[in-house]
Amino acid sequence: MKKSVLLGAMAFAGLAAGAASAGTLDDVKARGKLNCGVTVGLVGFAAPNANGEWEGFDVAVCRAVAAAVLGDSTAVEFVPTTGKTRFTALASGEIDMLARNTTWTFSRDVDLKFEFTGVNYYDGQGFMVPKDLGVSSAKELDGATVCIQTGTTTELNLADFFRSNNISYEPVPIETNAEAQQQYLAGACDVYTTDASGLAATRATFDDPGAHVLLPEIISKEPLGPLVRHGDNEWGDVVRWTLNALVSAEELGITSANLSEMSAGTENPEINRLLGSEGTLGEMLGLDATWAQKAIASQGNYGEIFAKNIGEDTPVGLARGLNAQWTEGGLLYAPPFR
């Protein structure tokens, strides 16, 4: 058994190394399209709209990268992936990057040979229950049936939480958020657990969101972010610094409304370097000088993306919280553009 597991891990790592050696940045440029892995559907984060166009918080990261590299935020092929299929799709080269509410963990980074390029949402695992269940704490869930997505960190966190609190549960395995929603609403499970942001997004789609409550416990750290394959550092830099550009743009006061004015040059050297009116940052990435301008113009800065897709004025209704800028008491912090 141990030998087969080791061979499987080696084969998986080999897929990743082989796909990375091709040079993804060159491949994307030659193809004229970015292949981006997303979830199969989570309102606010990644889901097709009524016209069949993908939109959401994670989708915006894909589109910003496409704009930076190709000058066209629509030049993206969105590839829906489940918790089980997402890593194989990335390792095999089916997708160029994964932006699918995926938690940065040690084993995914080191053992599975992926490279997380930053955090675009600081999250934690929570619990949702029907209000009429009469439960006010996750510690009151002894004996509950729990809908849980397989192949996720939530599966392991759930086991740890119940064991540490000396209570039992019966898992109801599901593969997608849509399946979880269906099972939960049908009463096949008492509880649905996943990232708190995912629970808020799911509840927003219910006919009566107020009939369901998110319990107060947050039982884990879930830093979510885009990832690429190990060994393709040039491509990793492009994805990493595109995300950083969106974050820094908000901190520096660059918005989709004033971008044109600021790109002509300002008295702030960092803004000028970011937007390409001075310095050679684009050249260092293998892109043109206006790569960051194109990314910001296509989606807005991080704050604009957050507000549009998952903020307090949307059905998902998330407060910035930990995802506020560091200057506002949050954890959002991009390295200097220097």
Side-chain angles (χ1 to χ4, degrees):
M1 177 65 71
K2 289 183 178 179
K3 184 177 179 181
S4 65
V5 170
L6 176 61
L7 289 173
M10 290 173 64
F12 195 92
L15 275 174
S21 65
T24 308
L25 178 58
D26 290 338
D27 288 347
V28 172
K29 287 180 176 179
R31 189 191 308 130
K33 180 177 66 175
L34 170 70
N35 295 329
C36 196
V38 292
T39 183
V40 294
L42 183 62
V43 170
F45 285 86
N49 61 21
N51 298 319
E53 300 166 340
W54 283 87
E55 60 185 14
F57 186 74
D58 287 332
V59 166
V61 175
C62 302
R63 293 198 184 280
V65 172
V69 175
L70 302 170
D72 182 1
S73 64
T74 68
V76 186
E77 179 75 25
F78 291 100
V79 180
T81 63
T82 68
K84 285 185 174 181
T85 65
R86 55 184 165 174
F87 298 132
T88 302
L90 181 58
S92 68
E94 179 185 356
I95 56 178
D96 304 310
M97 59 178 286
L98 183 66
R100 187 203 175 279
N101 54 324
T102 296
T103 303
W104 188 347
T105 70
F106 181 98
S107 60
R108 289 172 177 177
D109 192 316
V110 178
D111 191 39
L112 295 187
K113 307 300 181 187
F114 295 129
E115 182 176 349
F116 285 79
T117 58
V119 177
N120 71 329
Y121 192 91
Y122 290 93
D123 210 345
Q125 183 174 337
F127 299 89
M128 178 168 63
V129 299
K131 184 178 289 186
D132 60 15
L133 193 64
V135 172
S136 60
S137 167
K139 295 179 181 180
E140 300 171 14
L141 295 175
D142 191 19
T145 53
V146 184
C147 279
I148 178 75
Q149 290 190 53
T150 55
T152 65
T153 56
T154 55
E155 197 172 14
L156 305 176
N157 297 335
L158 180 68
D160 287 349
F161 176 79
F162 274 78
R163 183 176 61 185
S164 64
N165 284 282
N166 198 29
I167 54 179
S168 64
Y169 69 100
E170 180 182 344
V172 179
I174 48 92
E175 285 200 29
T176 66
N177 186 68
E179 183 185 351
Q181 178 176 325
Q182 182 181 34
Q183 295 283 71
Y184 172 78
L185 291 176
C189 53
D190 303 311
V191 188
Y192 180 30
T193 184
T194 189
D195 298 337
S197 63
L199 295 176
T202 299
R203 184 174 63 171
T205 68
F206 292 172
D207 291 337
D208 184 9
H212 305 268
V213 297
L214 304 187
L215 298 179
E217 287 86 359
I218 298 295
I219 66 169
S220 68
K221 294 183 294 184
E222 306 292 333
L224 311 179
L227 55 154
V228 299
R229 291 175 289 273
H230 262 188
D232 198 352
N233 297 338
E234 185 178 21
W235 177 242
D237 286 342
V238 169
V239 177
R240 174 181 300 106
W241 286 98
T242 299
L243 175 59
N244 286 336
L246 302 177
V247 172
S248 283
E250 182 184 20
E251 179 187 345
L252 295 169
I254 305 167
T255 69
S256 55
N258 65 21
L259 176 64
S260 179
E261 177 185 353
M262 287 197 164
S263 63
T266 72
E267 295 182 359
N268 185 325
E270 185 162 22
I271 292 177
N272 297 342
R273 288 191 293 267
L274 173 61
L275 299 182
S277 61
E278 66 178 67
T280 59
L281 299 188
E283 181 182 338
M284 294 178 195
L285 283 175
L287 304 176
D288 68 28
T290 61
W291 65 277
Q293 280 190 51
K294 294 171 183 174
I296 298 163
S298 73
Q299 305 301 307
N301 64 34
Y302 179 92
E304 291 176 286
I305 293 169
F306 192 105
K308 176 183 176 181
N309 294 289
I310 57 176
E312 291 180 296
D313 293 332
T314 70
V316 178
L318 294 174
R320 287 292 293 267
L322 295 176
N323 297 289
Q325 289 280 342
W326 67 284
T327 52
E328 301 293 330
L331 298 178
L332 214 60
Y333 187 110
F337 280 80
R338 178 174 294 281

